[in-house]
């Protein structure tokens, strides 16, 4: 799983597995360059998140599409309910570079618009960003579902970005070798039941 998947999927998945298959143990691995080999060998059953590199040789199922939101502390002195382009350029930003966050899509969109933001901090992971934002004046541009989760767990608010960023798809991926494997099919169907949006 990516960091986003840890935050977004893991609680619901563990609760569901605990109810319907209490004897099943879930081991979560980080998405790395080794993930395709782990899926092929069967050491990993599924890869969940935004992973455009897992296309060829793998089955995939789109669970939902994501857009982006900007997150700031609730009592931010300059950002109320709207974030203008000028404010976006003037404020200091935290950039989350964790795999699966879509940060490269944000960077590409900003480059296309020739928009430069002030990056004060770059983080390789998502956990802890809610507390960071709640206690600073930094702005983070994150996937919409991450923004909503941060709003639930930290003293932050989500505001729309001042321009449109591209959307991206969160998918579950598995190796073609395990397409008919009963345990893999059960896990995939459980994930789909919980998170698939039509």
């Amino acid at each position: 799983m990516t960091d986003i998947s840890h935050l977004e999927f893991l609680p619901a998945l563990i609760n569901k597995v605990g109810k319907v298959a209490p004897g099943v143990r879930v081991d979560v691995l980080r998405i790395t360059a080794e993930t395709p080999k782990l899926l092929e060998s069967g050491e990993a059953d599924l890869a969940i998140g935004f992973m455009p590199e897992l296309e060829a040789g793998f089955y995939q199922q789109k669970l939902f599409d994501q857009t982006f939101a900007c997150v700031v502390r609730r009592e931010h002195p300059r950002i109320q309910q709207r974030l203008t382009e000028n404010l976006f350029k003037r404020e200091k930003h935290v950039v989350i570079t964790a795999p699966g966050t879509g940060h490269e899509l944000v960077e590409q969109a900003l480059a296309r618009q020739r928009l430069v933001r002030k990056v004060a901090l770059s983080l390789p992971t998502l956990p802890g960003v809610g507390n960071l934002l709640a206690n600073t004046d930094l702005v983070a541009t994150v996937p919409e579902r991450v923004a909503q989760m941060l709003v639930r767990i930290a003293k932050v608010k989500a505001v729309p970005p001042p321009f449109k960023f591209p959307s991206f798809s969160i998918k579950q991926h598995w190796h073609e070798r395990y397409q008919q494997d009963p345990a893999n099919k059960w896990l995939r169907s459980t994930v789909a039941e919980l998170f698939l949006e039509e």
Side-chain angles (χ1 to χ4, degrees), residues 3 10 41 72 82 118 144-145 173 188:
D3 280 354
L10 206 48
S41 71
V72 298
R82 260 185 85 239
K118 295 178 185 172
E144 177 68 35
R145 284 184 177 229
H173 305 261
R188 294 191 319 255

Coordinates of all heavy atoms in Angstrom, one line a residue, residues 3 10 41 72 82 118 144-145 173 188:
D3 N 1.1 5.3 1.2 CA 0.7 6.0 2.5 C -0.7 6.4 2.4 O -1.4 6.3 3.4 CB 1.6 7.3 2.6 CG 2.9 7.1 3.2 OD1 3.2 5.9 3.6 OD2 3.7 8.0 3.3
L10 N -6.9 1.2 5.2 CA -6.6 0.2 6.2 C -7.6 0.0 7.3 O -8.0 -1.1 7.6 CB -5.2 0.5 6.7 CG -4.4 -0.7 7.2 CD1 -4.5 -1.9 6.3 CD2 -3.0 -0.3 7.5
S41 N 5.6 -13.1 -7.7 CA 6.0 -14.3 -6.9 C 4.9 -14.8 -6.0 O 5.0 -15.9 -5.4 CB 7.2 -14.0 -6.1 OG 7.0 -13.2 -5.1
V72 N -5.2 23.6 5.1 CA -4.5 24.6 6.0 C -5.1 24.5 7.4 O -6.2 23.9 7.6 CB -4.7 26.0 5.5 CG1 -4.0 26.2 4.1 CG2 -6.2 26.4 5.4
R82 N -11.6 30.5 0.8 CA -11.2 30.5 -0.6 C -9.7 30.7 -0.6 O -9.1 31.4 0.2 CB -11.8 31.6 -1.4 CG -13.0 31.2 -2.2 CD -13.5 32.3 -3.1 NE -12.7 32.5 -4.3 CZ -12.1 33.6 -4.7 NH1 -12.1 34.6 -3.9 NH2 -11.4 33.6 -5.8
K118 N 6.1 28.8 -3.1 CA 7.2 28.8 -2.1 C 7.1 27.5 -1.3 O 6.2 27.4 -0.5 CB 7.0 30.0 -1.2 CG 7.2 31.4 -1.9 CD 6.9 32.5 -0.8 CE 6.9 33.8 -1.5 NZ 6.5 34.9 -0.6
E144 N -8.1 14.7 -2.6 CA -9.3 15.1 -1.9 C -9.6 14.2 -0.7 O -10.0 14.7 0.4 CB -10.5 15.2 -2.9 CG -11.8 15.5 -2.3 CD -11.9 16.9 -1.8 OE1 -11.3 17.8 -2.4 OE2 -12.6 17.1 -0.7
R145 N -9.5 12.9 -0.9 CA -9.9 12.0 0.2 C -8.9 12.1 1.4 O -9.3 12.0 2.5 CB -9.9 10.6 -0.3 CG -11.2 10.2 -1.1 CD -11.2 8.8 -1.4 NE -12.4 8.5 -2.1 CZ -13.1 7.4 -1.8 NH1 -12.8 6.6 -0.8 NH2 -14.2 7.2 -2.5
H173 N -4.2 -3.6 -7.9 CA -3.5 -4.4 -9.0 C -3.1 -5.8 -8.5 O -2.8 -5.9 -7.3 CB -2.2 -3.6 -9.3 CG -2.4 -2.2 -9.7 ND1 -2.4 -1.8 -11.0 CD2 -2.5 -1.1 -8.9 CE1 -2.5 -0.5 -11.0 NE2 -2.6 0.0 -9.8
R188 N -9.6 -9.4 -3.3 CA -10.0 -8.3 -4.3 C -11.4 -8.0 -4.1 O -11.8 -6.8 -4.2 CB -9.7 -8.8 -5.7 CG -8.3 -9.1 -6.0 CD -8.0 -9.3 -7.5 NE -8.9 -10.2 -8.2 CZ -8.7 -11.4 -8.6 NH1 -7.5 -12.0 -8.2 NH2 -9.6 -12.1 -9.2

